[in-house]
Amino acid sequence: MCVRPVAAAPESISEKVVESIKNAEEKCSDDPASGECVAAWDEVEELSAAASHARDKKKESDPLETYCKDNPEDEECRTYED
Amino acid sequence: MPISMVFRANSINHTPFFPNPTKTHFLSPQNLLHFYKKTPLKNHIGEFSCSSPGPVVVGLAADSGCGKTTFMKRLTSVFGGAPKADHNHQNPDSNTLITDTTTVICLDDYHLLDRKERKEKGVTALHPRANNFDLMFEQIKALKHGFPIEKPIYNHATGLLDPPELIHPPKILVLEGLHPLYDSRVRDLLDFSIYLDISNEVKFSWKIQRDMAERGHSLESVRASIQARKSDFDAYIEPQKQYASVVMEVLPTQLIPDDTERKVLRVRLIMKESGVKNFQPIYIFDEGSTVSWVPCGRKLTCSYPGIKFFCGPEAFFENEVTVLEMDGEFDKLEELVYVEGHLCNVSTKFYGEVTQQMLKNCDFEGSNNGTGFFQTLIALKIRDLYEQVAMGNGVGDGVGVGSLASTK
């Protein structure tokens, strides 16, 4: 019924996500059952969630999105599904 | 005169705590805050009698990435009220959502250990050690009794604990996070609680959708993250299920054989039959009986895979519950209205209110399936609970007083 585009999160959070995944993979290669490994993947989850919220926030402030929410029938707001 | 004072206390624009700030200097905001920080609450709670009831407190428990934010957006949409603009001048990274009627507190703000400390100690955010339940209890209790609090802020961007922000008691206080039902003292403060139970297959699918837009993530990293957190999740988060007033289970559909897309969902609303004040479960056709219902047929044509409902009594962790289940997706507006018309105990203010709310928020996740539909139903039940509590405490005329504006 409604279409939602996808945009990337701000650079700094995206960088943090990338680093945290590398860090988790390193920590877990030594000992997958350790507290450090588990905590490292928990950090990945936390940062991924933050990145996702940042993406949503960015989307909410897009002026075209805001306009089209109220005027979906306008030329600029038309969407096509092929 | 007592009646008119109580009436004023229940009006929409009432600020619940300070009736006459200029007259009683001792009770001015600055003095009270200074006073509250230094002295324990229990010595003074008898001295301040609050003329209005404290907020209705709702707990929402769910794992990260499971739809809490969407649920909050639906709740605040049903309760009405505009977001308060000046709130974020205090701290732009605040997690607190404030409208005229509702304040939503993110329980991450009660982390005892920040991100660096958790990493050093090898502790996840799911572990009780990482959270300050004593402070959580003291502050929620304070809000419930009508006192403002200075609540810490957990900054998700930096992973640090920021200086506190001032929070006033609202009409409806929502606590969302991993542990609203973990500590028994906090549990006892809740008037209503919800646990979002997402099955492993659906959780995996949602996290893939969420994370594949980010560089660095792959199917393996998403899977590894879920797997690593599973043991703490099973030990500390899942047991909260048994305490919730309502559990919303999200499972793969049974309508499509061998479905791997996980787009069509089966959602079960497990509602306590008793023990939750001012709440009666929603049902189909006849309370207490078992009903299987496929609305698609002669009157209503649905596209594949259609919609299937079930309603019946069950036992859940030693509680008697009513289970309402929806499998499938809504494709057309008329399906939504048709289904709404056949549910009982929905607590709407007018026929079509559920459909109207769903349409209003059609860009939210889950707007075409049971997740959005049931979240909207729960929001209406909470609104109804609030109004019953407000009516019970006030001497209002029953119309407008103590009620939240119904959204048009």
Side-chain angles (χ1 to χ4, degrees):
Chain A
M1 284 194 267
C2 289
V3 180
R4 297 162 68 243
V6 178
E11 270 310 301
S12 55
I13 300 191
S14 291
E15 285 300 329
K16 285 188 180 154
V17 172
V18 174
E19 268 174 54
S20 68
I21 295 174
K22 280 206 197 101
N23 176 52
E25 283 165 351
E26 260 170 57
K27 289 255 152 65
C28 296
S29 59
D30 305 327
D31 179 9
S34 68
E36 280 85 26
C37 167
V38 169
W41 281 118
D42 189 45
E43 195 192 21
V44 170
E45 170 57 38
E46 194 193 338
L47 288 166
S48 305
S52 160
H53 286 136
R55 275 200 300 276
D56 289 340
K57 231 174 167 170
K58 221 168 133 194
K59 194 167 11 115
E60 265 161 40
S61 60
D62 180 346
L64 184 63
E65 281 291 312
T66 338
Y67 177 75
C68 289
K69 208 170 171 179
D70 297 316
N71 306 283
E73 65 303 328
D74 263 23
E75 280 296 321
E76 293 85 6
C77 301
R78 288 240 189 119
T79 57
Y80 299 90
E81 279 162 34
D82 290 305
Chain B
M1 308 241 313
I3 290 178
S4 62
M5 272 171 68
V6 175
F7 181 92
R8 233 194 332 272
N10 276 335
S11 72
I12 299 294
N13 294 319
H14 172 67
T15 49
F17 191 70
F18 300 113
N20 276 313
T22 48
K23 278 195 178 168
T24 47
H25 166 73
F26 183 65
L27 286 178
S28 72
Q30 297 78 18
N31 280 352
L32 185 75
L33 286 176
H34 181 70
F35 174 72
Y36 172 73
K37 270 195 278 197
K38 288 192 170 174
T39 55
L41 191 66
K42 61 182 191 310
N43 289 344
H44 299 280
I45 203 158
E47 293 179 29
F48 299 103
S49 64
C50 203
S51 62
S52 72
V56 160
V57 186
V58 176
L60 172 61
D63 193 8
S64 165
C66 287
K68 286 192 296 290
T69 308
T70 308
F71 202 153
M72 287 304 98
K73 289 187 337 192
R74 288 193 198 275
L75 270 187
T76 47
S77 166
V78 162
F79 299 155
K84 284 231 169 110
D86 60 352
H87 163 63
N88 275 353
H89 291 176
Q90 287 183 58
N91 181 338
D93 289 322
S94 162
N95 304 308
T96 316
L97 173 60
I98 300 185
T99 68
D100 302 332
T101 55
T102 311
T103 292
V104 181
I105 289 180
C106 172
L107 292 179
D108 287 350
D109 289 338
Y110 292 107
H111 279 336
L112 198 51
L113 308 170
D114 65 28
R115 197 179 289 155
K116 188 156 157 281
E117 287 167 327
R118 288 198 303 268
K119 217 154 125 175
E120 283 163 8
K121 296 184 152 80
V123 169
T124 66
L126 302 160
H127 200 295
R129 265 182 71 193
N131 301 285
N132 189 344
F133 290 106
D134 289 339
L135 184 64
M136 190 191 293
F137 168 61
E138 288 300 330
Q139 293 205 329
I140 306 306
K141 186 171 79 169
L143 284 174
K144 186 140 188 164
H145 287 102
F147 294 91
I149 57 166
E150 290 272 0
K151 179 191 61 64
I153 298 177
Y154 178 74
N155 189 319
H156 285 99
T158 60
L160 301 167
L161 285 160
D162 285 350
E165 60 180 339
L166 177 61
I167 303 289
H168 293 282
K171 291 194 174 84
I172 300 180
L173 176 66
V174 183
L175 310 175
E176 59 98 346
L178 297 164
H179 303 100
L181 293 161
Y182 183 82
D183 185 288
S184 60
R185 301 166 297 174
V186 177
R187 244 183 355 247
D188 290 341
L189 295 172
L190 301 177
D191 296 294
F192 192 82
S193 54
I194 307 130
Y195 182 95
L196 283 182
D197 185 11
I198 314 299
S199 76
N200 291 324
E201 304 93 331
V202 176
K203 194 183 268 191
F204 182 55
S205 165
W206 285 5
K207 292 206 172 169
I208 298 278
Q209 280 176 53
R210 185 193 71 179
D211 293 339
M212 288 313 259
E214 285 302 321
R215 285 176 289 133
H217 260 302
S218 59
L219 280 178
E220 286 70 39
S221 64
V222 175
R223 190 175 284 128
S225 174
I226 295 179
Q227 210 41 47
R229 295 170 80 251
K230 194 165 192 306
S231 128
D232 273 3
F233 180 81
D234 291 345
Y236 306 116
I237 313 301
E238 189 142 44
Q240 294 178 91
K241 242 182 354 189
Q242 60 189 294
Y243 303 114
S245 317
V246 166
V247 175
M248 193 169 100
E249 277 182 7
V250 183
L251 305 148
T253 181
Q254 289 178 329
L255 301 177
I256 304 174
D258 307 316
D259 171 55
T260 46
E261 273 192 58
R262 311 283 181 235
K263 276 172 124 189
V264 180
L265 297 170
R266 176 173 163 231
V267 187
R268 306 181 82 228
L269 203 57
I270 302 171
M271 300 166 280
K272 274 194 176 148
E273 267 298 324
S274 60
V276 185
K277 270 175 81 176
N278 302 309
F279 170 73
Q280 286 76 40
I282 301 165
Y283 60 91
I284 298 175
F285 174 59
D286 177 33
E287 204 170 2
S289 25
T290 303
V291 174
S292 211
W293 180 42
V294 177
C296 317
R298 291 209 185 106
K299 274 192 195 163
L300 193 70
T301 39
C302 312
S303 53
Y304 183 79
I307 310 171
K308 195 165 167 186
F309 280 89
F310 167 86
C311 184
E314 282 181 23
F316 186 74
F317 286 104
E318 299 157 4
N319 294 312
E320 281 181 353
V321 297
T322 295
V323 178
L324 176 66
E325 186 181 309
M326 171 178 161
D327 196 350
E329 291 189 325
F330 292 115
D331 194 40
K332 296 187 290 263
L333 181 59
E334 52 187 337
E335 289 167 8
L336 210 48
V337 177
Y338 191 79
V339 167
E340 177 181 347
H342 287 78
L343 296 176
C344 306
N345 248 352
V346 175
S347 307
T348 46
K349 294 206 161 131
F350 53 88
Y351 175 61
E353 189 176 16
V354 180
T355 304
Q356 187 193 66
Q357 279 293 331
M358 296 281 287
L359 277 180
K360 184 174 156 207
N361 300 316
C362 70
D363 57 338
F364 291 179
E365 292 288 352
S367 290
N368 63 342
N369 63 36
T371 59
F373 187 52
F374 287 170
Q375 285 177 0
T376 308
L377 293 181
I378 294 173
L380 291 165
K381 291 306 258 181
I382 296 174
R383 180 184 70 183
D384 181 56
L385 186 151
Y386 168 81
E387 289 175 355
Q388 286 183 58
V389 170
M391 295 301 179
N393 286 322
V395 190
D397 56 8
V399 176
V401 176
S403 71
L404 299 166
S406 70
T407 50
K408 290 278 168 200

